[in-house]
Amino acid sequence: MIAWAGDSIISSLGFTTEECYRSVASGQSGIRLYSSFMGLPEPQMASLIDRERLADSFAADSFAAVNPCSGGYTALEKAAILSVGSAAAAAQVDLSDPDVLFVFSSTKGNVHLLDEGERQAGRDHIYLWYVARLIAEHFKNPNEPVAVSNACISGACAQLVAMRELESGQYGCAVVVGVEMLSKFIVSGFQSLKALSPEPCRPFDAARAGLNLGEAAATIVYRRVDSEDEVSSGIALQQGAIRNDANHISGPSRTGEGSFRALQALLRGVAPGDVAFINAHGTATAYNDDMEATAITRAGLQATPVNSLKGYFGHTLGAAGVLESIISARALANGTALATHGFKRGEKEPPVNVTDKNTHTEKAYCIKMLSGFGGCNAALLFKYVKEKSNTCRKP
Amino acid sequence: MEELILQLKQEIIKVLNLEDVKPEDIADDAPLFGEGLGLDSIDALELIVLMEKMYGIKLQDPAQGREIFKSIRVMAEYIHANRSK
Amino acid sequence: MPQAIKRYSCVTGRSATVDGEAFPVAAEAGDGDEGKFLAALYRALKADYPKFFKMDALSKLGFLASELILRDEAPRFVPREDIAVVCFNRSASLATDVQHQAAIQREDSCYPSPSVFVYTLPNIVAGEIAIRNKLLGETSFYVCREWSAQQVFRMVSHTFCDGCTRAVLAAWVECFEGTCEAFMMLVEQQDGLSGLPFSVEQVDILYQNTKLKLWKS
């Protein structure tokens, strides 16, 4: 078990966790239709970070203004640095301390730099390890960061790395940062897979027609704890598991094999009745959502409320695991199971209990699920530990 | 038509990396998917790209492919009737 | 419980070894062409897995390294949740990324290939090995500045903390701009130690020695 010490989100819905959470809780989506999009001929639905606001915020941020990178930072690096800076401030952690480890999560990093028109930027920025180092060095952290690139479950893997590093006593604090920015590279690829929906995505809905892509930078700061007593009035990451479908590199398993087994691993630490909600991957592709419903049912969690946040943020790939864990943890602490934006009750409903509105919950646990290409699946178990002397929930 | 069928077989072997398969190994009327060539969902998407790139035919809905990619002959007939290049 | 390195293998664009011994591939195979050599090695392994030819170079390297290690394991292809696949490299999937970028570079002729795009994720190599061998355990991919026995040791050791993992196929698999190499170990948790002790020093010695031998050959 490791304790949550601070977090931060930069996304289409805002530049702080609070701003993003409030938008989600009030049912707003950051997904828009962009008529001209990164050199692609067709208009695209996407959830994008406001680049102007990003540049302005970066310039105005005292932490960010110190700029050791001579060639300048890319938008992705700026978003990550801003996000890490405010999460560290919230957690009151000195990032230059050798007891702090950086864990970086992204699927494609600065891949846009491969474009012929972008080659002027420093070539090293295309390497994920370089971006990870750049961010850690920006905050004068002396340790070699860990860079995870495990498709769309990267954000969960990064948290699992943090848990293992902290629990093994190697470090006292871990900064998990997930970041993804969109480019023609990514969008054209998903287009070729016919995975994109021309409409706002509708996770778990019978009429769903594919996913929307999104951008985000999200950071969680974790600290080592020796017992639950030290987590009073806060969130703890209690357990996590990664399992493979061993089925197909891009098609989800029909039996939900990997997801089911990942959930099963978590259920060693919690009874299904104590789970407030499951935040599924819920990309809104036909196969993913069916697969997850199958896995959830097989794990005996079919009565547990299930939601997806893709309708608010789109699919933010390597950032999704971090971003959606933050929103889910905040909802758990708030006693809320959030609605699934885009899902409507109808005749053909999924076999699981998908939320269509925000509901109150008193339960202490939530589960985050993720799945990705390469057949990988992950599940994380979070616990909200109430204040010992007072049972009131902290908003 | 026979010429188009042969050309299609050669192209499919090339783009789907069907090592050790020769055009004469693919029967004109044999099902492309399921048993036989061992093609999967990514192969189906790759065939959609092939249709567009080689013959100027745009398939928006991957489900359409299921009908068109039944066999080499069905595919060739569809291309013959709809090609724009 | 102690962990030991049961077997290890190495594959480059012109040679292959298992436990430090050369694996025989027809001498003229490849003629210096890495792709041809990997295909010749595949045939020499008699793997009978045509999907091999659909893989990108990174996955081919990892796949062949895993075949070299697992070919004598029995029983094979039985679903196993207690075996993890953990891979590392420097350049992620950049070799394939460059291919996808080339396909979309020109606006008047933009035909991205779905079968190339799916390989623009480095962890696909771990997935390919899991699929081939029906491994339902953890699969992970980490990107590092350079080969680091310490990093490999740490991450692999952590994987055993899962509570389910009893063995890890751990690989450094790099393919970009002239480098083409896979170094893989089967690390097992076992009561009585057989094989080499799993330690940072041992992992580094195996990698460096195998590399040295391959350069000399």
Side-chain angles (χ1 to χ4, degrees):
Chain A
M1 168 182 284
I2 54 174
W4 195 291
D7 59 68
S8 156
I9 296 173
I10 291 175
S11 77
S12 62
L13 285 176
F15 275 46
T16 63
T17 300
E18 190 56 35
E19 207 183 336
C20 294
Y21 182 78
R22 271 199 210 150
S23 299
V24 169
S26 64
Q28 283 178 58
S29 168
I31 297 166
R32 305 264 175 283
L33 182 68
Y34 291 88
S35 53
S36 81
F37 194 83
M38 297 169 179
L40 286 155
E42 306 85 3
Q44 300 290 335
M45 299 290 310
S47 158
L48 304 184
I49 291 176
D50 182 336
R51 299 290 171 115
E52 242 171 79
R53 187 174 170 192
L54 177 63
D56 292 348
S57 305
F58 193 78
D61 191 285
S62 59
F63 229 104
V66 196
N67 190 344
C69 178
S70 55
Y73 290 115
T74 64
L76 175 132
E77 291 152 7
K78 285 179 183 170
I81 287 169
L82 272 179
S83 162
V84 168
S86 53
Q92 296 178 306
V93 170
D94 173 11
L95 298 176
S96 65
D97 191 327
D99 202 30
V100 176
L101 175 72
F102 273 70
V103 188
F104 177 76
S105 158
S106 184
T107 66
K108 296 314 304 170
N110 286 315
V111 75
H112 68 283
L113 296 176
L114 288 178
D115 191 286
E116 280 170 9
E118 301 276 359
R119 297 262 166 98
Q120 74 284 2
R123 201 178 136 65
D124 286 343
H125 294 253
I126 58 169
Y127 292 99
L128 293 172
W129 58 263
Y130 182 84
V131 180
R133 277 173 73 94
L134 206 61
I135 296 164
E137 279 171 10
H138 181 92
F139 294 99
K140 309 210 163 17
N141 184 271
N143 300 314
E144 185 72 34
V146 177
V148 180
S149 191
N150 214 8
C152 299
I153 73 164
S154 298
C157 299
Q159 292 179 66
L160 208 51
V161 167
M163 185 161 87
R164 291 167 177 178
E165 293 281 1
L166 297 184
E167 284 184 344
S168 72
Q170 202 87 24
Y171 296 94
C173 176
V175 176
V176 177
V177 52
V179 60
E180 207 75 58
M181 297 297 260
L182 296 181
S183 56
K184 186 180 180 183
F185 184 104
I186 293 173
V187 180
S188 67
F190 275 92
Q191 247 180 339
S192 79
L193 296 175
K194 307 276 178 205
L196 299 181
S197 168
E199 307 285 329
C201 68
R202 303 176 67 175
F204 291 101
D205 195 280
R208 66 186 182 275
L211 58 84
N212 307 135
L213 291 165
E215 300 181 328
T219 306
I220 305 171
V221 179
Y222 282 110
R223 60 187 171 81
R224 187 175 66 212
V225 286
D226 295 322
S227 77
E228 197 180 295
D229 296 340
E230 293 176 46
V231 200
S232 180
S233 183
I235 296 288
L237 171 58
Q238 184 156 318
Q239 236 172 340
I242 302 168
R243 295 291 182 269
N244 203 286
D245 288 332
N247 174 60
H248 192 268
I249 54 167
S250 64
S253 152
R254 296 290 167 105
T255 56
E257 206 57 42
S259 274
F260 159 64
R261 286 170 190 262
L263 286 172
Q264 214 178 24
L266 299 191
L267 291 174
R268 294 196 297 243
V270 66
D274 293 335
V275 180
F277 60 88
I278 299 168
N279 174 227
H281 193 41
T283 58
T285 65
Y287 292 121
N288 175 80
D289 296 5
D290 277 353
M291 179 279 284
E292 284 189 296
T294 303
I296 290 166
T297 307
R298 280 184 71 190
L301 289 158
Q302 64 275 13
T304 307
V306 173
N307 65 21
S308 160
L309 297 172
K310 298 293 191 288
Y312 304 99
F313 298 103
H315 187 353
T316 56
L317 311 172
V322 185
L323 165 74
E324 294 170 13
S325 291
I326 297 173
I327 297 291
S328 295
R330 172 91 35 142
L332 183 69
N334 252 344
T336 307
L338 291 164
T340 303
H341 195 280
F343 172 77
K344 286 191 188 68
R345 299 224 167 277
E347 278 176 23
K348 263 184 78 184
E349 286 197 15
V352 288
N353 181 14
V354 180
T355 60
D356 64 342
K357 53 179 182 294
N358 296 346
T359 51
H360 180 73
T361 175
E362 280 291 331
K363 294 175 180 175
Y365 293 89
C366 78
I367 289 174
K368 169 81 203 109
M369 289 170 75
L370 289 156
S371 294
F373 284 164
C376 51
N377 306 270
L380 301 174
L381 178 66
F382 294 99
K383 182 176 188 183
Y384 176 67
V385 184
K386 293 179 187 179
E387 249 174 283
K388 293 295 168 210
S389 53
N390 183 343
T391 50
C392 287
R393 282 176 184 279
K394 202 181 167 187
Chain B
M1 182 59 74
E2 290 312 308
E3 203 180 309
L4 179 59
I5 284 179
L6 180 63
Q7 185 196 41
L8 251 185
K9 287 179 182 173
Q10 286 163 341
E11 275 303 314
I12 287 175
I13 288 169
K14 197 174 87 191
V15 302
L16 302 187
N17 293 305
L18 301 176
E19 191 83 8
D20 302 333
V21 176
K22 295 183 191 66
E24 53 269 32
D25 299 336
I26 309 174
D28 297 355
D29 296 300
L32 274 174
F33 287 83
E35 286 306 298
L37 296 176
L39 304 190
D40 67 7
S41 53
I42 302 177
D43 294 317
L45 292 166
E46 202 64 51
L47 290 181
I48 292 178
V49 177
L50 182 144
M51 298 278 281
E52 188 178 342
K53 200 171 168 180
M54 297 273 303
Y55 308 105
I57 300 171
K58 262 194 163 184
L59 299 181
Q60 274 317 330
D61 182 7
Q64 262 181 292
R66 239 171 274 159
E67 286 301 305
I68 300 160
F69 305 146
K70 253 185 181 157
S71 68
I72 289 285
R73 191 184 300 282
V74 174
M75 212 176 146
E77 280 164 0
Y78 186 86
I79 291 167
H80 184 70
N82 294 283
R83 66 191 295 173
S84 66
K85 62 179 178 189
Chain C
M1 208 181 283
Q3 289 136 17
I5 302 165
K6 192 178 176 193
R7 301 200 85 168
Y8 61 99
S9 69
C10 188
V11 177
T12 69
R14 57 199 190 105
S15 53
T17 62
V18 201
D19 293 338
E21 301 296 321
F23 182 83
V25 180
E28 72 283 3
D31 261 346
D33 179 316
E34 289 166 355
K36 280 186 190 157
F37 175 80
L38 297 183
L41 175 57
Y42 163 80
R43 291 190 203 286
L45 282 162
K46 299 188 174 59
D48 189 25
Y49 194 67
K51 271 190 184 167
F52 170 81
F53 293 103
K54 294 175 184 274
M55 296 177 192
D56 73 342
L58 191 70
S59 287
K60 280 180 178 163
L61 273 170
F63 175 86
L64 292 169
S66 69
E67 285 297 307
L68 283 165
I69 286 182
L70 298 174
R71 57 198 291 269
D72 297 327
E73 289 283 311
R76 276 195 83 181
F77 313 124
V78 181
R80 290 282 295 267
E81 191 172 340
D82 58 351
I83 304 180
V85 186
V86 183
C87 301
F88 305 79
N89 80 359
R90 170 181 161 87
S91 308
S93 56
L94 273 168
T96 305
D97 293 358
V98 167
Q99 269 189 52
H100 175 67
Q101 182 61 40
I104 61 166
Q105 191 63 56
R106 282 180 50 202
E107 264 175 48
D108 56 338
S109 157
C110 178
Y111 295 107
S113 155
S115 56
V116 170
F117 183 68
V118 290
Y119 285 99
T120 62
L121 291 165
N123 64 301
I124 299 294
V125 58
E128 291 283 15
I129 295 166
I131 293 166
R132 160 69 165 169
N133 298 288
K134 296 195 167 58
L135 305 181
L136 300 158
E138 175 166 333
T139 51
S140 300
F141 200 102
Y142 302 99
V143 183
C144 325
R145 181 170 52 135
E146 58 198 356
W147 159 260
S148 159
Q150 206 172 348
Q151 175 93 324
V152 170
F153 177 80
R154 223 169 77 203
M155 290 303 161
V156 172
S157 302
H158 285 338
T159 309
F160 284 102
C161 301
D162 174 82
C164 172
T165 306
R166 286 217 180 84
V168 178
L169 272 172
W172 171 266
V173 51
E174 167 73 5
C175 170
F176 190 49
E177 293 187 331
T179 305
C180 172
E181 60 175 25
F183 167 71
M184 186 177 283
M185 300 173 289
L186 175 60
V187 183
E188 279 191 354
Q189 200 154 46
Q190 41 186 238
D191 282 323
L193 271 184
S194 68
L196 301 160
F198 181 55
S199 66
V200 177
E201 295 72 28
Q202 188 66 64
V203 167
D204 204 36
I205 287 169
L206 289 185
Y207 174 77
Q208 304 296 354
N209 282 358
T210 324
K211 227 178 150 172
L212 209 65
K213 204 176 277 180
L214 288 172
W215 281 116
K216 280 187 190 155
S217 70

